[in-house]
mmCIF file of all heavy atoms in Angstrom:
data_model
loop_
_atom_site.group_PDB
_atom_site.id
_atom_site.type_symbol
_atom_site.label_atom_id
_atom_site.label_comp_id
_atom_site.label_asym_id
_atom_site.label_seq_id
_atom_site.Cartn_x
_atom_site.Cartn_y
_atom_site.Cartn_z
ATOM 1 N N LEU R 170 -63.831 9.196 19.591
ATOM 2 C CA LEU R 170 -65.026 9.309 20.426
ATOM 3 C C LEU R 170 -66.331 9.367 19.497
ATOM 4 O O LEU R 170 -67.410 9.020 19.913
ATOM 5 C CB LEU R 170 -65.040 10.592 21.201
ATOM 6 C CG LEU R 170 -64.085 10.619 22.415
ATOM 7 C CD1 LEU R 170 -64.070 12.022 23.031
ATOM 8 C CD2 LEU R 170 -64.469 9.548 23.430
ATOM 9 N N ARG R 171 -66.136 9.698 18.235
ATOM 10 C CA ARG R 171 -67.290 9.732 17.227
ATOM 11 C C ARG R 171 -67.450 8.429 16.538
ATOM 12 O O ARG R 171 -68.490 8.265 15.757
ATOM 13 C CB ARG R 171 -67.018 10.875 16.282
ATOM 14 C CG ARG R 171 -66.831 12.258 16.930
ATOM 15 C CD ARG R 171 -66.296 13.246 15.921
ATOM 16 N NE ARG R 171 -65.837 14.563 16.521
ATOM 17 C CZ ARG R 171 -66.612 15.667 16.548
ATOM 18 N NH1 ARG R 171 -67.824 15.621 15.980
ATOM 19 N NH2 ARG R 171 -66.189 16.755 17.114
ATOM 20 N N LEU R 172 -66.474 7.536 16.558
ATOM 21 C CA LEU R 172 -66.515 6.336 15.790
ATOM 22 C C LEU R 172 -67.073 5.128 16.599
ATOM 23 O O LEU R 172 -66.818 5.103 17.807
ATOM 24 C CB LEU R 172 -65.077 5.895 15.205
ATOM 25 C CG LEU R 172 -64.423 6.890 14.253
ATOM 26 C CD1 LEU R 172 -62.938 6.492 14.070
ATOM 27 C CD2 LEU R 172 -65.230 7.006 12.989
ATOM 28 N N GLU R 173 -67.705 4.230 16.011
ATOM 29 C CA GLU R 173 -68.148 2.996 16.723
ATOM 30 C C GLU R 173 -66.965 2.186 17.130
ATOM 31 O O GLU R 173 -66.985 1.534 18.194
ATOM 32 C CB GLU R 173 -69.069 2.229 15.825
ATOM 33 C CG GLU R 173 -70.424 2.835 15.576
ATOM 34 C CD GLU R 173 -71.368 1.928 14.808
ATOM 35 O OE1 GLU R 173 -71.075 0.781 14.621
ATOM 36 O OE2 GLU R 173 -72.395 2.437 14.453
ATOM 37 N N THR R 174 -65.984 2.075 16.278
ATOM 38 C CA THR R 174 -64.756 1.336 16.529
ATOM 39 C C THR R 174 -63.555 2.247 16.371
ATOM 40 O O THR R 174 -63.294 2.914 15.340
ATOM 41 C CB THR R 174 -64.597 0.099 15.529
ATOM 42 O OG1 THR R 174 -65.742 -0.727 15.631
ATOM 43 C CG2 THR R 174 -63.305 -0.726 15.900
ATOM 44 N N SER R 175 -62.694 2.338 17.470
ATOM 45 C CA SER R 175 -61.536 3.194 17.438
ATOM 46 C C SER R 175 -60.540 2.736 16.354
ATOM 47 O O SER R 175 -60.472 1.586 16.050
ATOM 48 C CB SER R 175 -60.920 3.194 18.788
ATOM 49 O OG SER R 175 -61.725 3.800 19.811
ATOM 50 N N ILE R 176 -59.823 3.669 15.898
ATOM 51 C CA ILE R 176 -58.778 3.370 14.913
ATOM 52 C C ILE R 176 -57.370 3.858 15.387
ATOM 53 O O ILE R 176 -57.362 4.748 16.273
ATOM 54 C CB ILE R 176 -59.047 3.985 13.418
ATOM 55 C CG1 ILE R 176 -59.105 5.546 13.546
ATOM 56 C CG2 ILE R 176 -60.354 3.443 12.857
ATOM 57 C CD1 ILE R 176 -59.270 6.172 12.203
ATOM 58 N N ALA R 177 -56.360 3.351 14.757
ATOM 59 C CA ALA R 177 -55.036 3.733 15.184
ATOM 60 C C ALA R 177 -54.498 4.888 14.436
ATOM 61 O O ALA R 177 -54.970 5.136 13.315
ATOM 62 C CB ALA R 177 -54.096 2.506 15.046
ATOM 63 N N MET R 178 -53.483 5.557 14.927
ATOM 64 C CA MET R 178 -52.895 6.712 14.272
ATOM 65 C C MET R 178 -52.307 6.319 12.934
ATOM 66 O O MET R 178 -52.225 7.159 12.005
ATOM 67 C CB MET R 178 -51.853 7.337 15.194
ATOM 68 C CG MET R 178 -51.182 8.582 14.660
ATOM 69 S SD MET R 178 -52.459 10.027 14.513
ATOM 70 C CE MET R 178 -52.324 10.686 16.198
ATOM 71 N N ASN R 179 -51.917 5.036 12.810
ATOM 72 C CA ASN R 179 -51.209 4.637 11.593
ATOM 73 C C ASN R 179 -52.100 4.729 10.368
ATOM 74 O O ASN R 179 -51.635 4.697 9.157
ATOM 75 C CB ASN R 179 -50.564 3.251 11.697
ATOM 76 C CG ASN R 179 -51.622 2.115 11.892
ATOM 77 O OD1 ASN R 179 -52.805 2.347 11.765
ATOM 78 N ND2 ASN R 179 -51.109 1.005 12.236
ATOM 79 N N ARG R 180 -53.371 4.866 10.501
ATOM 80 C CA ARG R 180 -54.296 5.097 9.340
ATOM 81 C C ARG R 180 -53.937 6.378 8.617
ATOM 82 O O ARG R 180 -54.143 6.485 7.417
ATOM 83 C CB ARG R 180 -55.748 5.243 9.859
ATOM 84 C CG ARG R 180 -56.405 3.914 10.350
ATOM 85 C CD ARG R 180 -56.702 2.973 9.237
ATOM 86 N NE ARG R 180 -57.578 1.865 9.816
ATOM 87 C CZ ARG R 180 -58.766 1.852 9.654
ATOM 88 N NH1 ARG R 180 -59.487 2.672 8.990
ATOM 89 N NH2 ARG R 180 -59.470 0.834 10.198
ATOM 90 N N PHE R 181 -53.384 7.348 9.337
ATOM 91 C CA PHE R 181 -53.143 8.700 8.783
ATOM 92 C C PHE R 181 -51.630 8.921 8.433
ATOM 93 O O PHE R 181 -51.355 9.984 7.875
ATOM 94 C CB PHE R 181 -53.619 9.721 9.786
ATOM 95 C CG PHE R 181 -55.062 9.668 10.023
ATOM 96 C CD1 PHE R 181 -55.613 9.150 11.227
ATOM 97 C CD2 PHE R 181 -56.062 10.087 9.121
ATOM 98 C CE1 PHE R 181 -56.959 8.996 11.514
ATOM 99 C CE2 PHE R 181 -57.403 9.986 9.348
ATOM 100 C CZ PHE R 181 -57.814 9.392 10.516
ATOM 101 N N ARG R 182 -50.806 7.979 8.738
ATOM 102 C CA ARG R 182 -49.391 8.007 8.238
ATOM 103 C C ARG R 182 -48.722 9.323 8.574
ATOM 104 O O ARG R 182 -48.074 9.899 7.676
ATOM 105 C CB ARG R 182 -49.403 7.682 6.703
ATOM 106 C CG ARG R 182 -50.128 6.379 6.436
ATOM 107 C CD ARG R 182 -50.137 6.040 4.927
ATOM 108 N NE ARG R 182 -48.864 5.725 4.434
ATOM 109 C CZ ARG R 182 -48.119 4.614 4.636
ATOM 110 N NH1 ARG R 182 -48.785 3.584 5.407
ATOM 111 N NH2 ARG R 182 -46.988 4.394 4.208
ATOM 112 N N PRO R 183 -48.718 9.795 9.878
ATOM 113 C CA PRO R 183 -47.976 11.037 10.149
ATOM 114 C C PRO R 183 -46.472 10.799 10.252
ATOM 115 O O PRO R 183 -46.046 9.608 10.467
ATOM 116 C CB PRO R 183 -48.597 11.423 11.494
ATOM 117 C CG PRO R 183 -48.901 10.082 12.120
ATOM 118 C CD PRO R 183 -49.487 9.216 11.019
ATOM 119 N N ALA R 184 -45.672 11.798 10.088
ATOM 120 C CA ALA R 184 -44.316 11.715 10.449
ATOM 121 C C ALA R 184 -44.071 12.098 11.819
ATOM 122 O O ALA R 184 -43.239 11.479 12.525
ATOM 123 C CB ALA R 184 -43.439 12.682 9.466
ATOM 124 N N LEU R 185 -44.814 13.127 12.343
ATOM 125 C CA LEU R 185 -44.659 13.567 13.744
ATOM 126 C C LEU R 185 -46.018 13.566 14.472
ATOM 127 O O LEU R 185 -46.985 14.015 13.880
ATOM 128 C CB LEU R 185 -44.046 15.012 13.774
ATOM 129 C CG LEU R 185 -42.733 15.239 13.065
ATOM 130 C CD1 LEU R 185 -42.309 16.685 13.174
ATOM 131 C CD2 LEU R 185 -41.643 14.328 13.667
ATOM 132 N N VAL R 186 -46.002 12.969 15.644
ATOM 133 C CA VAL R 186 -47.231 13.017 16.476
ATOM 134 C C VAL R 186 -46.945 13.751 17.765
ATOM 135 O O VAL R 186 -45.897 13.499 18.406
ATOM 136 C CB VAL R 186 -47.683 11.612 16.828
ATOM 137 C CG1 VAL R 186 -48.923 11.699 17.797
ATOM 138 C CG2 VAL R 186 -48.015 10.756 15.616
ATOM 139 N N VAL R 187 -47.663 14.764 18.043
ATOM 140 C CA VAL R 187 -47.547 15.679 19.210
ATOM 141 C C VAL R 187 -48.547 15.386 20.156
ATOM 142 O O VAL R 187 -49.729 15.257 19.875
ATOM 143 C CB VAL R 187 -47.448 17.143 18.820
ATOM 144 C CG1 VAL R 187 -47.407 18.017 20.002
ATOM 145 C CG2 VAL R 187 -46.321 17.457 17.870
ATOM 146 N N LYS R 188 -48.117 15.220 21.511
ATOM 147 C CA LYS R 188 -49.051 15.057 22.567
ATOM 148 C C LYS R 188 -49.776 16.388 22.815
ATOM 149 O O LYS R 188 -49.152 17.392 23.258
ATOM 150 C CB LYS R 188 -48.361 14.627 23.885
ATOM 151 C CG LYS R 188 -49.224 14.456 25.037
ATOM 152 C CD LYS R 188 -50.134 13.208 24.888
ATOM 153 C CE LYS R 188 -50.896 12.961 26.103
ATOM 154 N NZ LYS R 188 -51.886 11.808 25.969
ATOM 155 N N THR R 189 -51.098 16.422 22.495
ATOM 156 C CA THR R 189 -51.884 17.653 22.625
ATOM 157 C C THR R 189 -53.119 17.448 23.578
ATOM 158 O O THR R 189 -53.497 16.293 23.868
ATOM 159 C CB THR R 189 -52.338 18.197 21.329
ATOM 160 O OG1 THR R 189 -53.097 17.148 20.624
ATOM 161 C CG2 THR R 189 -51.178 18.568 20.383
ATOM 162 N N SER R 190 -53.619 18.527 24.064
ATOM 163 C CA SER R 190 -54.846 18.519 24.840
ATOM 164 C C SER R 190 -56.040 19.027 24.240
ATOM 165 O O SER R 190 -57.130 18.772 24.708
ATOM 166 C CB SER R 190 -54.564 19.230 26.204
ATOM 167 O OG SER R 190 -54.302 20.610 25.947
ATOM 168 N N GLU R 191 -55.887 19.813 23.119
ATOM 169 C CA GLU R 191 -56.992 20.457 22.391
ATOM 170 C C GLU R 191 -57.061 19.776 20.977
ATOM 171 O O GLU R 191 -56.119 19.791 20.176
ATOM 172 C CB GLU R 191 -56.736 21.937 22.158
ATOM 173 C CG GLU R 191 -56.744 22.671 23.557
ATOM 174 C CD GLU R 191 -58.022 22.730 24.181
ATOM 175 O OE1 GLU R 191 -59.081 22.692 23.495
ATOM 176 O OE2 GLU R 191 -58.091 22.807 25.370
ATOM 177 N N ALA R 192 -58.264 19.275 20.672
ATOM 178 C CA ALA R 192 -58.492 18.558 19.391
ATOM 179 C C ALA R 192 -58.314 19.585 18.256
ATOM 180 O O ALA R 192 -58.808 20.726 18.338
ATOM 181 C CB ALA R 192 -59.857 17.952 19.313
ATOM 182 N N PHE R 193 -57.544 19.232 17.212
ATOM 183 C CA PHE R 193 -57.326 19.942 16.015
ATOM 184 C C PHE R 193 -56.588 21.381 16.271
ATOM 185 O O PHE R 193 -56.672 22.209 15.423
ATOM 186 C CB PHE R 193 -58.663 20.171 15.282
ATOM 187 C CG PHE R 193 -59.390 18.853 15.034
ATOM 188 C CD1 PHE R 193 -60.542 18.639 15.742
ATOM 189 C CD2 PHE R 193 -58.860 17.942 14.159
ATOM 190 C CE1 PHE R 193 -61.162 17.335 15.558
ATOM 191 C CE2 PHE R 193 -59.517 16.746 13.945
ATOM 192 C CZ PHE R 193 -60.672 16.439 14.685
ATOM 193 N N ASP R 194 -56.010 21.413 17.406
ATOM 194 C CA ASP R 194 -55.194 22.656 17.653
ATOM 195 C C ASP R 194 -54.145 22.869 16.636
ATOM 196 O O ASP R 194 -53.773 23.988 16.291
ATOM 197 C CB ASP R 194 -54.602 22.533 19.128
ATOM 198 C CG ASP R 194 -53.989 23.868 19.537
ATOM 199 O OD1 ASP R 194 -54.723 24.876 19.524
ATOM 200 O OD2 ASP R 194 -52.752 23.874 19.820
ATOM 201 N N GLU R 195 -53.526 21.725 16.117
ATOM 202 C CA GLU R 195 -52.418 21.888 15.157
ATOM 203 C C GLU R 195 -52.908 22.557 13.875
ATOM 204 O O GLU R 195 -52.055 23.033 13.007
ATOM 205 C CB GLU R 195 -51.866 20.480 14.878
ATOM 206 C CG GLU R 195 -52.814 19.479 14.138
ATOM 207 C CD GLU R 195 -53.580 18.676 15.114
ATOM 208 O OE1 GLU R 195 -53.718 19.100 16.303
ATOM 209 O OE2 GLU R 195 -54.134 17.621 14.733
ATOM 210 N N ASP R 196 -54.203 22.641 13.600
ATOM 211 C CA ASP R 196 -54.645 23.386 12.412
ATOM 212 C C ASP R 196 -54.241 24.758 12.395
ATOM 213 O O ASP R 196 -54.008 25.364 11.261
ATOM 214 C CB ASP R 196 -56.201 23.418 12.397
ATOM 215 C CG ASP R 196 -56.899 22.107 12.124
ATOM 216 O OD1 ASP R 196 -56.120 21.079 11.973
ATOM 217 O OD2 ASP R 196 -58.111 21.994 12.098
ATOM 218 N N TYR R 197 -53.913 25.440 13.570
ATOM 219 C CA TYR R 197 -53.699 26.785 13.645
ATOM 220 C C TYR R 197 -52.152 27.071 13.927
ATOM 221 O O TYR R 197 -51.891 28.237 14.109
ATOM 222 C CB TYR R 197 -54.528 27.382 14.787
ATOM 223 C CG TYR R 197 -55.971 27.081 14.686
ATOM 224 C CD1 TYR R 197 -56.606 25.989 15.221
ATOM 225 C CD2 TYR R 197 -56.826 27.988 13.953
ATOM 226 C CE1 TYR R 197 -57.936 25.684 15.033
ATOM 227 C CE2 TYR R 197 -58.140 27.720 13.727
ATOM 228 C CZ TYR R 197 -58.666 26.588 14.279
ATOM 229 O OH TYR R 197 -60.011 26.337 14.081
ATOM 230 N N TRP R 198 -51.308 26.134 13.727
ATOM 231 C CA TRP R 198 -49.939 26.318 14.033
ATOM 232 C C TRP R 198 -49.214 26.930 12.799
ATOM 233 O O TRP R 198 -48.763 26.104 11.988
ATOM 234 C CB TRP R 198 -49.264 25.002 14.494
ATOM 235 C CG TRP R 198 -49.821 24.426 15.810
ATOM 236 C CD1 TRP R 198 -50.788 24.932 16.542
ATOM 237 C CD2 TRP R 198 -49.305 23.244 16.413
ATOM 238 N NE1 TRP R 198 -50.953 24.124 17.607
ATOM 239 C CE2 TRP R 198 -50.097 23.107 17.581
ATOM 240 C CE3 TRP R 198 -48.354 22.317 16.085
ATOM 241 C CZ2 TRP R 198 -49.967 21.968 18.403
ATOM 242 C CZ3 TRP R 198 -48.168 21.266 16.983
ATOM 243 C CH2 TRP R 198 -48.975 21.109 18.134
ATOM 244 N N ALA R 199 -49.173 28.160 12.718
ATOM 245 C CA ALA R 199 -48.483 28.820 11.669
ATOM 246 C C ALA R 199 -46.968 28.700 11.813
ATOM 247 O O ALA R 199 -46.262 28.434 10.888
ATOM 248 C CB ALA R 199 -48.891 30.289 11.569
ATOM 249 N N ASP R 200 -46.478 28.949 12.986
ATOM 250 C CA ASP R 200 -45.046 28.841 13.308
ATOM 251 C C ASP R 200 -44.899 28.154 14.630
ATOM 252 O O ASP R 200 -45.602 28.532 15.575
ATOM 253 C CB ASP R 200 -44.325 30.192 13.395
ATOM 254 C CG ASP R 200 -44.270 30.899 12.107
ATOM 255 O OD1 ASP R 200 -43.638 30.395 11.090
ATOM 256 O OD2 ASP R 200 -44.777 31.995 11.939
ATOM 257 N N PHE R 201 -43.992 27.182 14.748
ATOM 258 C CA PHE R 201 -43.841 26.487 15.982
ATOM 259 C C PHE R 201 -42.428 25.882 16.021
ATOM 260 O O PHE R 201 -41.691 25.818 14.992
ATOM 261 C CB PHE R 201 -44.860 25.360 16.172
ATOM 262 C CG PHE R 201 -44.885 24.198 15.184
ATOM 263 C CD1 PHE R 201 -44.216 23.024 15.439
ATOM 264 C CD2 PHE R 201 -45.492 24.396 13.945
ATOM 265 C CE1 PHE R 201 -44.162 21.988 14.558
ATOM 266 C CE2 PHE R 201 -45.415 23.339 13.030
ATOM 267 C CZ PHE R 201 -44.723 22.138 13.335
ATOM 268 N N SER R 202 -41.972 25.534 17.198
ATOM 269 C CA SER R 202 -40.677 24.929 17.280
ATOM 270 C C SER R 202 -40.763 23.580 18.094
ATOM 271 O O SER R 202 -41.644 23.408 18.919
ATOM 272 C CB SER R 202 -39.739 25.869 18.130
ATOM 273 O OG SER R 202 -40.197 26.047 19.467
ATOM 274 N N ILE R 203 -39.847 22.719 17.740
ATOM 275 C CA ILE R 203 -39.658 21.428 18.527
ATOM 276 C C ILE R 203 -38.241 21.484 18.967
ATOM 277 O O ILE R 203 -37.222 21.468 18.189
ATOM 278 C CB ILE R 203 -39.924 20.252 17.610
ATOM 279 C CG1 ILE R 203 -41.307 20.261 17.004
ATOM 280 C CG2 ILE R 203 -39.682 18.936 18.380
ATOM 281 C CD1 ILE R 203 -41.608 19.149 16.058
ATOM 282 N N ASP R 204 -38.148 21.618 20.323
ATOM 283 C CA ASP R 204 -36.808 21.922 20.887
ATOM 284 C C ASP R 204 -36.318 23.262 20.297
ATOM 285 O O ASP R 204 -37.016 24.265 20.400
ATOM 286 C CB ASP R 204 -35.826 20.738 20.724
ATOM 287 C CG ASP R 204 -34.583 20.873 21.632
ATOM 288 O OD1 ASP R 204 -34.663 21.556 22.662
ATOM 289 O OD2 ASP R 204 -33.545 20.280 21.295
ATOM 290 N N ASP R 205 -35.145 23.252 19.638
ATOM 291 C CA ASP R 205 -34.654 24.483 19.031
ATOM 292 C C ASP R 205 -34.859 24.589 17.606
ATOM 293 O O ASP R 205 -34.306 25.499 16.965
ATOM 294 C CB ASP R 205 -33.283 24.804 19.440
ATOM 295 C CG ASP R 205 -32.312 23.675 18.946
ATOM 296 O OD1 ASP R 205 -32.838 22.627 18.504
ATOM 297 O OD2 ASP R 205 -31.070 23.906 19.013
ATOM 298 N N LEU R 206 -35.614 23.610 17.002
ATOM 299 C CA LEU R 206 -35.810 23.575 15.509
ATOM 300 C C LEU R 206 -37.141 24.158 15.244
ATOM 301 O O LEU R 206 -38.109 24.015 15.797
ATOM 302 C CB LEU R 206 -35.749 22.180 15.045
ATOM 303 C CG LEU R 206 -34.454 21.416 15.238
ATOM 304 C CD1 LEU R 206 -34.554 19.951 14.824
ATOM 305 C CD2 LEU R 206 -33.291 22.093 14.573
#
C-alpha cells in the first residue's frame, strides 16, 4: 500500500508464509504453534 508498484513475497525469500490480518503481528510471536508443532 506504501509502494508505487506492488512487489511479490518472493523478494523476501520466506520459508513460511502465514495468512494474517494484522500487519507485522509476527514481530511479537515469542511462542507459537503450527498444528501441533
Side-chain angles (χ1 to χ4, degrees):
L170 288 174
R171 303 166 190 262
L172 297 173
E173 289 186 10
T174 303
S175 295
I176 62 171
M178 185 66 84
N179 63 12
R180 294 284 192 100
F181 299 103
R182 307 178 67 78
L185 304 179
V186 177
V187 175
K188 180 68 176 177
T189 56
S190 58
E191 298 290 333
F193 309 107
D194 189 57
E195 64 272 19
D196 289 3
Y197 304 91
W198 296 2
D200 293 300
F201 65 98
S202 63
I203 303 177
D204 193 22
D205 60 348
L206 300 176

